[in-house]
């Protein structure tokens, strides 16, 4: 009985340490954390440029590195000067990074 309690304490303690090392995050949270800061690439068509918010909406193709299907979404822009280079209707190639819930374009051609 004593041995079983010791084994149980070790197992539970190890799980707690592993969880603490990852900030208590599990599964999808850890996947997003791992992807954060990594540049992802996509192509698409600009549907809207919002100078005020510093964002651009793009109908983009699949993004395999994010396991995303094709969709239309707004992206923040790292440097608002990039917004001067695009307009609705433009076909673009772009790189973006994920930080929490934000997706920020770092390069757009």
């Amino acid at each position: 009985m004593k041995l079983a309690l010791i084994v149980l304490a070790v197992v539970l303690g190890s799980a707690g340490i592993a969880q603490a090392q990852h900030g208590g995050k599990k599964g999808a949270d850890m996947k997003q954390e791992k992807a954060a800061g990594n540049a992802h690439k996509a192509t698409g068509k600009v549907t809207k440029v919002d100078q005020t918010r510093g964002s651009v909406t793009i109908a983009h193709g699949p993004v395999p590195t994010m396991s995303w299907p094709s969709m239309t979404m707004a992206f923040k822009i790292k440097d608002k000067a990039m917004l001067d280079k695009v307009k609705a209707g433009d076909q673009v190639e772009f790189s973006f990074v994920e930080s929490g819930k934000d997706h920020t374009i770092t390069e757009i051609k």
Side-chain angles (χ1 to χ4, degrees):
M1 178 74 170
K2 227 178 188 181
L3 180 59
L5 289 175
I6 291 171
V7 170
L8 181 60
V10 169
V11 170
L12 291 176
S14 296
I17 290 169
Q19 191 172 19
Q21 288 174 338
H22 295 289
K25 296 179 181 176
K26 298 179 184 174
D29 289 337
M30 287 175 59
K31 182 179 176 184
Q32 284 181 344
E33 183 179 88
K34 188 175 181 181
N38 294 335
H40 305 279
K41 296 184 182 288
T43 59
K45 184 176 182 178
V46 175
T47 61
K48 180 180 177 183
V49 175
D50 189 332
Q51 293 280 352
T52 305
R53 290 189 170 172
S55 68
V56 60
T57 302
I58 301 175
H60 64 78
V63 183
T65 57
M66 294 289 292
S67 300
W68 284 357
S70 298
M71 69 178 101
T72 301
M73 63 181 285
F75 292 86
K76 289 186 175 187
I77 296 289
K78 181 178 180 181
D79 178 2
K80 285 189 177 186
M82 286 189 262
L83 294 176
D84 296 332
K85 299 176 184 178
V86 296
K87 63 184 180 310
D90 286 351
Q91 286 289 108
V92 294
E93 295 178 18
F94 61 101
S95 297
F96 68 95
V97 294
E98 179 183 33
S99 180
K101 293 182 180 181
D102 294 330
H103 300 90
T104 304
I105 292 178
T106 56
E107 181 181 20
I108 191 164
K109 305 181 212 174

